[in-house]
Amino acid sequence: MSFGEQPAYLRVASDLRQKITDGSLAPHTRLPSQARIREEYGVSDTVALEARKVLMAEGLVEGRSGSGTYVRERLVPRRIARSGNRMATGATPFRQEQADERAQGTWESGSEQDAAGTDIALRLSVSPGARVMRTRYVYRDAGEVMMLSTSWEPLEITGRTPVMLPEEGPLGGCGVVERMAAIDIVVDNVVEEVGARPGLAEELLVLGGVPGHVVVVVSRTYYASGRAVETADIVVPADRYRIAYHLPVR
């Protein structure tokens, strides 16, 4: 088999990927062994191994201890809404979706004071080590973890105010815009950066992935007159969910 200019392991991986996509290798079917790949494609053991690694990294196959490597069931990605429209209720996009009686979403959260690390300090324009309120969220859909989120707010802004704890008090659970307005801070801009990376071990433990699985990360920061008042990282498993943006036309 001629592989042209593309590295041989990528051509082998591409052919196997196509077989998985078209159903020739059905879900739960055992992937051809390294020896079988070597013989069928006329490649070395190294190439066969690297091709299998590519499929593993893409989440198309999974290893089963003592059994081999199998084609994973292909899930139809579900949608997670992000909106450029602010609802009058102040609800977050996730809470807006859950207002539908057919939705089965739940979430839990916990807040604690922390010292801002270098990256978070840069995003909030505070000094490293400055006190922040860190809130961690776990979102579920019909009991399955679908999204993780961690937010940080400078305590020099919210400390000793009724909105110091994002999920408690009179405005607990409201969006950042409404909570900040309650302490006379007008949020006028929000920036979201979307990227992807391999999930961290502690993230995949909660999300139900395996090492190598990719997650989508939305890094969001709210600003008031140029000053960052909240920043957050939203983590979503890329193989199971798509992030849909609903943006107003101006």
Side-chain angles (χ1 to χ4, degrees):
M1 182 179 291
S2 174
F3 292 103
E5 297 181 358
Q6 193 176 42
Y9 77 95
L10 290 181
R11 291 296 298 272
V12 172
S14 178
D15 190 67
L16 291 170
R17 185 190 303 112
Q18 182 59 42
K19 290 180 178 179
I20 292 172
T21 301
D22 66 21
S24 300
L25 286 172
H28 310 296
T29 299
R30 187 171 181 175
L31 192 71
S33 66
Q34 189 169 314
R36 176 75 178 275
I37 293 174
R38 182 190 65 213
E39 294 172 4
E40 182 176 343
Y41 293 93
V43 296
S44 66
D45 280 333
T46 299
V47 169
L49 177 61
E50 290 302 313
R52 289 161 63 92
K53 286 182 178 179
V54 169
L55 298 178
M56 185 81 72
E58 292 176 350
L60 296 174
V61 300
E62 61 184 356
R64 299 180 185 174
S65 180
S67 179
T69 304
Y70 292 79
V71 177
R72 295 183 66 206
E73 183 175 356
R74 298 194 69 194
L75 302 175
V76 177
R78 285 175 280 176
R79 180 180 62 90
I80 294 177
R82 307 291 298 164
S83 178
N85 295 304
R86 185 164 63 88
M87 303 297 287
T89 60
T92 64
F94 182 83
R95 288 181 169 90
Q96 292 171 28
E97 285 196 333
Q98 300 317 308
D100 187 325
E101 62 182 11
R102 295 167 297 177
Q104 302 180 61
T106 59
W107 58 89
E108 58 192 60
S109 64
S111 297
E112 61 182 346
Q113 295 190 32
D114 197 6
T118 303
D119 177 58
I120 298 304
L122 181 63
R123 287 162 60 172
L124 291 174
S125 297
V126 298
S127 300
R131 304 304 295 173
V132 295
M133 183 63 70
R134 182 184 65 198
T135 304
R136 289 176 169 152
Y137 298 84
V138 177
Y139 296 91
R140 291 182 171 85
D141 180 20
E144 176 186 290
V145 177
M146 61 180 293
M147 180 169 63
L148 305 177
S149 177
T150 305
S151 71
W152 296 266
E153 295 180 351
L155 283 173
E156 65 181 34
I157 293 177
T158 61
R160 301 180 183 278
T161 74
V163 300
M164 185 172 75
L165 294 170
E167 296 295 324
E168 298 181 24
L171 291 177
C174 289
V176 173
V177 175
E178 285 68 28
R179 291 177 49 251
M180 293 298 163
I183 55 175
D184 299 323
I185 293 176
V186 178
V187 174
D188 53 20
N189 192 25
V190 58
V191 175
E192 290 194 350
E193 296 182 1
V194 182
R197 58 166 171 76
L200 303 178
E202 54 268 30
E203 293 169 340
L204 296 176
L205 181 64
V206 179
L207 291 169
V210 299
H213 279 192
V214 173
V215 295
V216 176
V217 181
V218 180
S219 295
R220 178 199 69 206
T221 305
Y222 281 97
Y223 295 90
S225 299
R227 183 183 187 183
V229 297
E230 189 255 20
T231 194
D233 283 337
I234 300 157
V235 180
V236 178
D239 61 333
R240 284 181 277 150
Y241 292 93
R242 296 291 181 267
I243 298 177
Y245 281 85
H246 301 267
L247 304 176
V249 177
R250 301 184 185 282

